[in-house]
Amino acid sequence: MLTVTRDMILPTTVTGSYPRPLWFDRSLEGRSFKAAMGDSLFREQYLDAVASIIAEQEAAGLDIVTDGDSRFDLTVGGKSWFFYPIERLGGIEGHRDTSRGWMGRHGLRPGKILWEVQEAYQPGVVRRKLARGPLEYAELWKVAQRMSDRPVKFGAICAPALASMLWNEYYVDDRAMILDLCDIMNAEFRDVAEAGCPLIQVEEPPHHGRTTQPDCKDSDLEFLTEAFNRQLKDVKAEIWVHTCWGNPNQQRVYWTVPSYERALPHLLQLDCDVLTIECASSEGRDLPLFKHIKTDKKIGIGVVNHCNTVVEPAEQVAGLIRKALEYIPKEQLVISTDCGFGREGLSRRIAFYKCVALVEGTNIVRRELGLPEARVRAADPKLWFATR
């Protein structure tokens, strides 16, 4: 249900996460968000951090902003992306030292940074039927939306991806566990939408990652599509689906970025309004796939890379957008980041200027197309000199 971006041409945003301010050193540590907001120090730090992150995105000129995923604790390799929900779901007790197959598939061993990241994850063990807990997504979104007149996008991990960090000791098989997780996430997403959230981003369907495995079958991809869509039933909001090729500690999981080619037909069957794909890391190599694809979805492309510390020139961003426009109509194109900026890998300053480059590059193309440009307060020389 396109609502927010229905009439927007080349809208800009970030995927979601943003580096924490250095002074934000409090964490939820397993508490519910509403309980933690009764802690004076956490409350002040959290509110100030979200306000700062939103203000930076607005100063960069982004059309759609996020709360930077500020609910996530400062953990190794972005662990909280998985573990914010895992720590709050019923039916999970204890942990195992490693997830099944992850280290083996990527050849991880001591001396590799991703081995250390994976060592820190320690997946939860499902010992009873999974039950809903205090995820409180609606409350998190409301806090952020009060700080901006722009649409605040709320993003969260999808159930099939979440299942990859669980060790199933209760269900007859992992598919049954995934379906229960889907029902739990569906209830959360419906609550966020009913609270008024205009745009919900459901993150990282496993389809494209699964296609890199030699034993991937079409039936696997069909199940993942069925499960993913189960989460979205009756969610009355504009739905985005984010995909990328990984972001643990700002590291590439695949040194040579794979192609979406086999997964794309299945991803386009997801019940979403916007599908985002990583493009900056591959210089848009997969964009020609859209030459013969007809879809009513909008396609979000990543135009700045989350895995390096180099701020892209605006002209580089514009060039990638121009390439996308050869295959995707401007009315269907959304401009974003490849993935989130995380909390460990990039500094807040670099993330901010990547946002500025994203908008300035989009403005170059908007100007060429005769479209209104976004105001980039951060790049206004009058305002800059006023502070000297």
Side-chain angles (χ1 to χ4, degrees):
M1 182 170 58
L2 279 171
T3 52
V4 175
T5 64
R6 180 178 54 205
D7 300 319
M8 298 174 76
I9 308 296
L10 306 184
T12 57
T13 189
V14 295
T15 292
S17 64
Y18 201 88
R20 278 183 166 217
L22 295 176
W23 43 259
F24 184 17
D25 60 4
R26 308 283 287 190
S27 289
L28 286 172
E29 295 177 341
R31 294 177 292 178
S32 77
F33 174 67
K34 288 196 282 189
M37 289 294 276
D39 173 341
S40 294
L41 290 177
F42 177 86
R43 184 186 186 94
E44 181 170 326
Q45 286 192 3
Y46 182 85
L47 294 177
D48 287 354
V50 173
S52 299
I53 288 166
I54 288 176
E56 289 192 3
Q57 293 174 53
E58 291 179 342
L62 293 172
D63 298 305
I64 297 162
V65 299
T66 79
D67 67 359
D69 289 344
S70 294
R71 66 188 180 274
F72 295 155
D73 293 347
L74 183 58
T75 50
V76 174
K79 174 181 174 178
S80 280
W81 183 63
F82 291 104
F83 281 82
Y84 177 88
I86 286 174
E87 290 170 351
R88 290 162 180 80
L89 294 177
I92 299 172
E93 294 179 6
H95 61 83
R96 291 292 185 96
D97 285 345
T98 183
S99 63
R100 292 169 293 177
W102 207 87
M103 287 191 176
R105 284 201 303 273
H106 296 282
L108 302 184
R109 57 173 176 76
K112 304 289 187 182
I113 186 171
L114 290 182
W115 179 86
E116 183 169 327
V117 167
Q118 183 63 58
E119 182 187 44
Y121 276 26
Q122 300 183 35
V125 180
V126 179
R127 300 189 187 278
R128 303 187 310 279
K129 182 178 174 63
L130 291 165
R132 196 176 173 191
L135 271 64
E136 299 171 325
Y137 286 169
E139 299 305 317
L140 290 157
W141 169 77
K142 285 189 284 188
V143 166
Q145 186 64 78
R146 287 198 294 267
M147 298 181 183
S148 181
D149 292 328
R150 302 186 191 194
V152 174
K153 174 170 56 127
F154 184 83
I157 187 173
C158 74
L162 184 62
S164 70
M165 208 49 62
L166 293 174
W167 196 287
N168 175 23
E169 292 189 358
Y170 172 82
Y171 290 89
V172 63
D173 57 28
D174 284 356
R175 290 192 173 195
M177 179 179 70
I178 287 171
L179 294 178
D180 263 9
L181 276 173
C182 288
D183 292 340
I184 290 169
M185 300 307 289
N186 175 254
E188 285 294 328
F189 295 143
R190 283 190 284 110
D191 277 359
V192 182
E194 288 166 11
C197 181
L199 200 161
I200 299 172
Q201 178 176 282
V202 187
E203 296 170 355
E204 205 53 16
H207 297 63
H208 50 304
R210 189 64 59 84
T211 63
T212 66
Q213 300 172 27
D215 61 347
C216 176
K217 301 186 289 292
D218 285 345
S219 58
D220 298 330
L221 302 175
E222 289 161 4
F223 170 75
L224 290 172
T225 300
E226 172 195 343
F228 196 96
N229 287 341
R230 186 177 177 123
Q231 301 167 109
L232 303 177
K233 183 177 173 57
D234 298 325
V235 179
K236 307 299 184 185
E238 180 170 320
I239 302 296
W240 290 31
V241 169
H242 165 66
T243 75
C244 73
W245 292 106
N247 183 13
N249 215 156
Q250 264 52 57
Q251 300 300 305
R252 287 191 178 188
V253 177
Y254 309 89
W255 183 250
T256 301
V257 180
S259 172
Y260 286 96
E261 184 170 8
R262 183 179 174 193
L264 189 57
H266 298 273
L267 291 170
L268 288 169
Q269 292 177 31
L270 301 179
D271 293 337
C272 64
D273 304 293
V274 178
L275 174 68
T276 77
I277 61 171
E278 186 173 317
C279 282
S281 65
S282 66
E283 299 183 348
R285 185 186 63 221
D286 275 344
L287 287 171
L289 296 175
F290 290 93
K291 183 175 183 179
H292 302 296
I293 288 175
K294 300 298 181 185
T295 179
D296 58 359
K297 299 184 192 303
K298 291 199 173 194
I299 304 300
I301 62 166
V303 296
V304 296
N305 194 332
H306 59 291
C307 284
N308 67 42
T309 58
V310 178
V311 176
E312 292 82 353
E315 183 55 47
Q316 171 75 16
V317 172
L320 191 48
I321 296 171
R322 293 188 196 104
K323 183 173 183 176
L325 288 170
E326 296 176 22
Y327 307 102
I328 302 168
K330 64 181 185 297
E331 295 81 7
Q332 289 181 260
L333 191 60
V334 174
I335 312 303
S336 186
T337 56
D338 269 1
C339 190
F341 290 129
R343 282 151 296 283
E344 271 196 321
L346 288 181
S347 75
R348 183 177 165 195
R349 183 181 302 113
I350 290 169
F352 173 65
Y353 281 103
K354 280 180 178 278
C355 290
V356 172
L358 186 155
V359 178
E360 287 198 309
T362 305
N363 276 346
I364 291 172
V365 178
R366 286 168 170 159
R367 193 158 53 244
E368 293 169 352
L369 296 174
L371 299 171
E373 297 178 44
R375 184 188 180 203
V376 184
R377 294 201 313 272
D380 188 329
K382 295 178 182 178
L383 295 178
W384 190 82
F385 282 114
T387 65
R388 305 302 286 177

